Structure formats: C-alpha cells, structure tokens
Amino acid sequence: MKKQHRYKDIVDYLKDTNLTTVDELVQTLNVSPATVRRDLIDLENQGVVRRTHGGVTLNNFVATQLSVQEKNQLFKAEKERISKAAAERVESGNSIILDAGTTTMEIAKNITHLPLRVITPDLRIALFLSEFKQIEVTMFGGEIDNASQSCVGEHARRLLQSIHTDIAFISSNFWSFEHGVTTPKEAKTALKADMMKCAEESILVADSSKYNSFSLFKVAELDQFSEIYTDSELSQEAREKLMSFNGKLHIL
C-alpha cells in the first residue's frame, strides 16, 4: 500500500474511532508496526494527528499550516473530483478569484479553455494561467507567504477593495460546522474575508480530511458560502449537519 493511501486510511479510521493504537492500525492496514509508527510521525509533523500515551487521535486544533509541497501529496484524487465539479460553475467571460491552494490550483487546470479574468494571490496559479492567451491574470501583489507561496498583507487587500468579481473560490485547511472556516495566520484571515466581500458569490472548496479541524482565526461561518464542494469521504453525521445550511452542499 502506498504511503499516501495509508495516510488516508489512518485519517478515515480515526474519524470513526476518535482514538486508536499502533496495534489496531497494524491490523487495519496490514503493515508492520514500524511502518505505522513512521506514518504517525509524518502525520503528526504535518499537524493532522496527535499522539498521546493512550494512542493517537486526530488533531482538531491546528496551530500551523502545511507547505505547498506537503499539501500536494495529500488526497489528490479527492481534490481532483472537487475541482472538476467546481470548475463547471465558471462560465465564459466570468471574472473569478482563485484563492491560494492545491484544490484551487486544480480548478485552474479545468478552466483553461475559457476566456476569463482571474485574480489570485497564488504564485503557481498565476504562472500556470499566464500561459493561456484568452485568460487575463491579475496577481494580488505584496508580501509572499513562504508556506503557501502566495501574496498576503495590506497591499493585496487594497487591490480587492477596488474590484468586483462573479465568483470567489475559497480554499481552507480547516473547516467545521461549529467553527466555520479558520486559519492559523491573521493576515490570511483578512485576505480571505476580503475575497468573499468583493464577489457576487463565494464557494468553499475543501476536501473532507480538513473537516472538523480548526485554527486560531475565523474567516467566515459556513452559511456565508453559497455552495460547498467536498468529497464523498465526509461522514454521514457531518453531511446531515451541513445540509441544514441554506447553501448547496456538493459531495463528489
């Protein structure tokens, strides 16, 4: 079993059990104790799980964010399904915001056939879309956040105060029914909130592995999004809670 598949299976198992042990994971994954321990160390370093004396549990509060390189390795298939469906919301001639993130990068890959105006803080998205002549790309500018390789700060916020777009696709590492969308950095919180304010509608794109986690700064409540795109690994309990919102929930 590939490492990334094991990571996903560990997270899924913890969503069902809340707390588990190395021995239980050995039986569930059918791998050696040494392999499980290495995987748990990796997941703990990424902030996904927390090891205790009694075993291991999901780390619901996350103080830091993963780097782009680390995010790229996680839940690729889910992100591809989410982004393909979300990209269908984009029409020829739209002006859209693509928030920084690996899922929004996948959305960018699915809209290259359309004439569009795209505003983004993400360096990778901007460089990728700049190759397509029918797409007008605007970068936020300002200070670069090393972890996400995207622009943050007051310079970026000033640009958003002067524009109005059709859709803002917002990404998030941390989202939950109780806490909404949160981030570990105050600068990103204000920027994401500004993206939502200047768009006709805001759409959240976030895979289910990030659900039920939260960090220090709140961006928005979930009911502030007109639509939410996530994947089919989202638990039935979470689905029932989220269906109570006025916005549309898309399970891919």
Side-chain angles (χ1 to χ4, degrees):
M1 183 185 295
K2 292 183 179 180
K3 182 187 294 187
Q4 300 307 321
H5 290 163
R6 293 198 307 272
Y7 287 173
K8 182 178 183 301
D9 287 345
I10 290 171
V11 171
D12 289 344
Y13 189 73
L14 283 169
K15 286 179 179 178
D16 292 334
T17 62
N18 294 323
L19 180 70
T20 190
T21 64
V22 170
D23 289 341
E24 287 178 356
L25 290 174
V26 167
Q27 296 297 318
T28 301
L29 302 176
N30 195 27
V31 295
S32 70
T35 297
V36 169
R37 290 190 182 94
R38 285 196 298 270
D39 288 348
L40 292 178
I41 290 171
D42 289 344
L43 287 170
E44 186 173 46
N45 289 338
Q46 294 170 14
V48 178
V49 304
R50 178 167 52 87
R51 291 185 295 165
T52 68
H53 293 301
V56 61
T57 186
L58 285 175
N59 186 16
N60 287 336
F61 177 82
V62 187
T64 59
Q65 62 180 353
L66 304 182
S67 68
V68 171
Q69 289 75 19
E70 291 169 326
K71 292 176 186 176
N72 277 334
Q73 302 306 312
L74 298 174
F75 308 103
K76 287 185 175 181
E78 289 81 359
K79 292 173 182 176
E80 288 173 359
R81 294 202 304 272
I82 291 166
S83 60
K84 185 175 181 179
E88 293 178 1
R89 291 286 285 101
V90 182
E91 299 179 355
S92 177
N94 275 170
S95 57
I96 67 170
I97 292 174
L98 288 179
D99 192 6
T102 50
T103 304
T104 45
M105 180 66 203
E106 291 300 318
I107 292 176
K109 294 176 183 178
N110 283 280
I111 59 174
T112 56
H113 61 293
L114 295 171
L116 300 168
R117 291 183 175 180
V118 178
I119 302 97
T120 183
D122 192 301
L123 298 177
R124 297 168 309 113
I125 291 175
L127 286 171
F128 172 74
L129 290 179
S130 68
E131 298 292 328
F132 300 90
K133 293 182 179 180
Q134 75 277 19
I135 299 178
E136 179 183 309
V137 182
T138 301
M139 275 286 298
F140 282 16
E143 179 186 353
I144 301 298
D145 175 70
N146 291 333
S148 63
Q149 295 180 356
S150 66
C151 301
V152 295
E154 290 303 313
H155 185 87
R157 294 189 66 192
R158 283 195 293 273
L159 169 67
L160 289 170
Q161 292 167 8
S162 63
I163 63 174
H164 186 82
T165 65
D166 296 300
I167 304 173
F169 290 98
I170 306 298
S171 62
S172 177
N173 289 327
F174 318 107
W175 64 295
S176 70
F177 183 86
E178 291 80 8
H179 300 281
V181 171
T182 56
T183 75
K185 292 190 175 183
E186 188 174 9
K188 283 200 167 187
T189 305
L191 194 60
K192 287 178 184 286
D194 286 345
M195 292 183 216
M196 295 175 66
K197 288 177 184 176
C198 72
E200 280 292 314
E201 56 180 324
S202 299
I203 296 175
L204 177 65
V205 287
D207 68 74
S208 63
S209 71
K210 301 165 183 175
Y211 183 77
N212 216 26
S213 296
F214 65 97
S215 197
L216 188 59
F217 299 100
K218 175 172 284 189
V219 175
E221 299 287 356
L222 294 185
D223 61 5
Q224 292 177 247
F225 294 92
S226 58
E227 298 181 48
I228 298 173
Y229 286 78
T230 189
D231 62 82
S232 57
E233 297 300 321
L234 190 71
S235 70
Q236 187 59 39
E237 179 184 2
R239 294 185 194 198
E240 290 173 0
K241 284 184 177 181
L242 294 171
M243 287 298 287
S244 67
F245 289 137
N246 292 329
K248 295 179 182 178
L249 177 66
H250 301 271
I251 307 290
L252 289 313

